[in-house]
Amino acid sequence: PWVLHVGSSAPRKRTDVLLDAVALARRTVPELGLVKVGDWSPADHDRIARHRLSAAVVQVRGPLAFTSAPLTG
């Protein structure tokens, strides 16, 4: 399972709470990962290290290429 965050790391976005919540959830779901589209703040980098989340976090930066495919469901 994955959590996705798309947006800035402006303080009003409360990425600190997001990282704390992911760290807490991983106690029950250790395979949980976090995908971040955008940059982390220096404080977020510190929090990722403190929670030992480096292996669980994927960061995507820059333009993204999408292919069109029919949605199935």
Side-chain angles (χ1 to χ4, degrees), residues 36-49:
K36 165 73 163 125
V37 179
D39 291 321
W40 291 111
S41 72
D44 289 334
H45 282 287
D46 292 343
R47 191 171 296 269
I48 290 166

Side-chain angles (χ1 to χ4, degrees), residues 6-66:
V6 179
S8 72
S9 289
R12 65 185 172 81
K13 300 290 185 161
R14 298 305 311 262
T15 52
D16 58 330
V17 174
L18 171 65
L19 292 169
D20 291 347
V22 168
L24 181 63
R26 283 177 52 85
R27 293 180 188 172
T28 303
V29 186
E31 66 275 12
L32 180 69
L34 171 62
V35 176
K36 165 73 163 125
V37 179
D39 291 321
W40 291 111
S41 72
D44 289 334
H45 282 287
D46 292 343
R47 191 171 296 269
I48 290 166
R50 191 169 45 249
H51 284 308
R52 296 184 176 105
L53 290 173
S54 295
V57 173
V58 176
Q59 184 176 11
V60 179
R61 286 186 255 163
L64 300 176
F66 295 95

